[in-house]
């Protein structure tokens, strides 16, 4: 079963615009990670935010985490056509196993 | 190698056929994971190895699925008597640390299995 649910399921924007994707999860977490997957490829790790952090930046990426609402958001600023991909949040349950649980993903299309 | 390598990239199997999917993790990575990804969905956990020990196989959907990592490096996921519902992309990931909790996991490009 999938822990996280991303919202929206699909997003289409113009190059240069910002893209915001949201993730909600059900159980308490140790940390939350975001991954990108280009069509037909494996997943690439983008950023990890720990449960005691509220915001984290990496280049054009900004991630927020609200543990009281069990939600996270990924913001990509000044999007580029190369950002076209599926984006997944993934969580690690502190009381569970050692593997990540992934959401169903947001498919982002950036139009040039 | 430079990254996680999976082979074959594509596999077409007739229903009832056995298949074996291979994963070469990054050298020295302790943890190895297998995931199954259906079209349009996120990856779903299958099984986890710490070195050669299979510590968690709770995600394997049936006893037709079997995974091994005998020498703590290369891993093989075997599916016996394949069914159409087994059609998916099978992803392998490795991590330097125990589990995937505190560090990124590196994923291979996956094996796309189509059962006809």
């Amino acid at each position: 079963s999938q822990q996280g649910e991303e919202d929206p399921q699909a997003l289409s924007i113009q190059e240069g615009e910002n893209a915001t994707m949201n993730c909600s999860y059900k159980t308490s977490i140790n940390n939350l990670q975001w991954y990108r997957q280009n069509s037909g490829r494996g997943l690439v790790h983008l950023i990890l935010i720990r449960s005691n952090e509220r915001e984290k930046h990496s280049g054009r990426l900004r991630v927020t985490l609200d543990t009281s609402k069990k939600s996270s958001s990924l913001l990509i600023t000044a999007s580029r056509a190369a950002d076209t991909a599926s984006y997944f949040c993934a969580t690690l349950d502190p009381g569970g196993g050692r593997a990540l649980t992934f959401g169903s993903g947001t498919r982002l299309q950036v139009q040039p | 190698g430079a990254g996680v390598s999976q082979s074959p990239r594509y596999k077409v199997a007739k229903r009832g056929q056995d298949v074996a999917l291979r994963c070469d993790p990054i050298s020295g990575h302790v943890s190895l994971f297998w995931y199954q990804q259906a079209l349009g969905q996120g990856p779903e956990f299958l099984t986890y190895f710490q070195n050669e020990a299979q510590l968690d196989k709770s995600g394997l959907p049936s006893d037709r699925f079997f995974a091994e990592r005998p020498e703590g490096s290369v891993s093989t996921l075997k599916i016996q008597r394949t069914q159409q519902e087994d059609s998916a992309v099978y992803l392998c990931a490795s991590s330097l640390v125990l589990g995937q909790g505190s560090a990124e996991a590196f994923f291979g490009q996956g094996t796309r299995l189509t059962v006809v």
Side-chain angles (χ1 to χ4, degrees):
Chain A
S1 62
Q2 306 220 309
Q3 155 86 304
E5 290 295 328
E6 280 89 341
D7 165 50
Q9 289 189 331
L11 179 62
S12 183
I13 60 174
Q14 295 295 124
E15 210 166 24
E17 293 180 337
N18 295 342
T20 300
M21 289 160 270
N22 303 297
C23 165
S24 59
Y25 55 91
K26 299 187 179 87
T27 66
S28 61
I29 60 170
N30 196 325
N31 65 55
L32 186 143
Q33 303 182 32
W34 284 91
Y35 284 79
R36 182 186 73 217
Q37 185 177 38
N38 290 81
S39 179
R41 315 278 287 193
L43 285 88
V44 174
H45 180 267
L46 294 177
I47 196 164
L48 180 154
I49 185 165
R50 301 187 191 285
S51 58
N52 61 353
E53 297 176 308
R54 291 296 167 260
E55 189 170 311
K56 201 161 183 180
H57 297 254
S58 176
R60 293 185 296 113
L61 306 180
R62 174 179 165 245
V63 170
T64 63
L65 178 65
D66 186 335
T67 53
S68 66
K69 295 181 180 176
K70 292 187 168 59
S71 68
S72 173
S73 68
L74 171 68
L75 168 68
I76 304 174
T77 60
S79 64
R80 304 167 183 168
D83 295 329
T84 295
S86 290
Y87 292 82
F88 296 91
C89 67
T91 56
L92 188 74
D93 177 358
R98 296 181 183 270
L100 292 169
T101 303
F102 286 84
S104 52
T106 292
R107 277 151 287 286
L108 173 66
Q109 176 79 39
V110 181
Q111 307 283 355
Chain B
V4 178
S5 177
Q6 291 187 247
S7 60
R9 285 293 315 278
Y10 304 93
K11 176 69 179 178
V12 178
K14 291 184 179 178
R15 191 167 47 186
Q17 188 178 354
D18 297 349
V19 298
L21 312 180
R22 178 187 168 105
C23 173
D24 279 87
I26 294 173
S27 178
H29 277 198
V30 169
S31 297
L32 185 145
F33 304 81
W34 283 98
Y35 287 84
Q36 180 190 58
Q37 186 175 24
L39 188 65
Q41 298 296 313
E44 296 244 3
F45 170 74
L46 294 177
T47 187
Y48 161 59
F49 289 87
Q50 180 183 316
N51 296 309
E52 69 278 4
Q54 188 175 22
L55 297 189
D56 188 347
K57 54 182 181 180
S58 61
L60 296 177
S62 78
D63 59 7
R64 295 186 296 103
F65 286 71
F66 171 77
E68 59 183 7
R69 193 187 186 197
E71 296 178 1
S73 55
V74 172
S75 177
T76 304
L77 176 66
K78 297 178 180 177
I79 309 173
Q80 297 177 322
R81 305 180 303 283
T82 52
Q83 303 294 317
Q84 283 191 316
E85 62 262 28
D86 300 335
S87 296
V89 175
Y90 291 85
L91 295 166
C92 176
S94 71
S95 175
L96 184 61
V97 300
L98 300 179
Q100 291 178 300
S102 58
E104 67 180 284
F106 294 84
F107 281 80
Q109 295 191 344
T111 293
R112 181 177 297 277
L113 172 66
T114 303
V115 181
V116 298

